[in-house]
């Protein structure tokens, strides 16, 4: 099962809600809403074998991976208890790339909550994810697993007023 996100910049009229990031359309919001505490989702680059590993794939072909992570983080808390909240696919040369630093910044978490997995271990971990969002990110190693935390309370923002 797959669906595609088309950003407003591509000429399609976007339907948005007040206070909700415009990247987060109805299908993606619904998929995020179905995730429970501890469930994982993958935000993947364009070369990631998304349809091989994910139960639900949402395509975001015109968007950078960090841009999608930043939008998701506006509605999805990260787990702060067991294990890492953010898992990166480790680069072959062992040094984090620019896209990986952007993913960490977009995830907005502390360094102790971020770990890396070797490429094939990352693929194995991704098979347990409930959602894969494949982006248009063309830079290698633009892949991240996010583990959902607990929504403790609702705080109205008054954004629609």
């Amino acid at each position: 099962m797959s669906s595609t996100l088309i950003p407003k910049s591509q000429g399609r009229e976007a339907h948005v809600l007040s206070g909700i990031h415009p990247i987060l359309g109805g299908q993606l919001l619904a998929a995020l809403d179905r995730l429970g505490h501890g469930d994982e989702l993958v935000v993947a680059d364009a070369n990631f074998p998304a349809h091989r590993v994910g139960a639900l794939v949402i395509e975001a072909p015109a968007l950078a991976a960090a841009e999608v992570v930043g939008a998701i983080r506006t509605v999805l808390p990260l787990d702060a208890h067991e294990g890492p909240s953010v898992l990166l696919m480790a680069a072959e040369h062992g040094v984090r790339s620019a896209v990986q630093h952007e993913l960490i910044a977009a995830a907005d978490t502390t360094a102790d909550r971020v770990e890396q997995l070797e490429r094939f271990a990352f693929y194995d971990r991704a098979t347990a994810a409930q959602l894969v969002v494949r982006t248009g990110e063309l830079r290698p190693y633009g892949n991240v697993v996010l583990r959902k935390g607990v929504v403790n309370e609702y705080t109205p923002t008054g954004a629609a007023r």
Side-chain angles (χ1 to χ4, degrees):
M1 172 184 260
S2 177
S3 62
T4 301
L5 295 172
I6 301 173
K8 192 174 184 178
S9 64
Q10 288 187 336
R12 179 176 170 261
E13 184 61 34
H15 300 282
V16 297
L17 299 171
S18 182
I20 302 293
H21 195 290
I23 287 174
L24 303 177
Q27 291 175 329
L28 182 53
L29 280 171
L32 293 171
D33 185 52
R34 285 189 292 269
L35 297 176
H37 178 225
D39 283 347
E40 294 181 341
L41 69 115
V42 176
V43 176
D45 65 26
N47 294 298
F48 189 80
H51 292 277
R52 182 177 67 191
V53 300
L56 172 63
V57 177
I58 296 179
E59 302 282 350
L63 300 170
E67 186 178 14
V68 172
V69 169
I72 288 171
R73 285 288 288 123
T74 65
V75 297
L76 185 100
L78 294 177
D79 196 350
H81 298 290
E82 294 180 27
S85 305
V86 174
L87 288 166
L88 298 170
M89 179 186 285
E92 288 179 23
H93 49 72
V95 177
R96 286 190 180 153
S97 64
V99 69
Q100 291 175 314
H101 287 290
E102 292 168 21
L103 289 168
I104 293 168
D108 191 27
T109 192
T110 59
D112 64 318
R113 306 294 310 153
V114 179
E115 291 185 9
Q116 297 185 124
L117 291 173
E118 179 273 331
R119 185 176 115 201
F120 293 105
F122 188 95
Y123 289 155
D124 288 343
R125 182 69 172 256
T127 63
Q130 285 69 38
L131 172 64
V132 176
V133 181
R134 184 166 59 182
T135 68
E137 183 65 64
L138 294 175
R139 294 175 290 174
Y141 305 105
N143 304 298
V144 64
V145 172
L146 303 175
R147 191 161 44 96
K148 184 179 181 183
V150 174
V151 177
N152 290 316
E153 65 181 64
Y154 166 71
T155 306
T157 63
R161 297 185 183 166

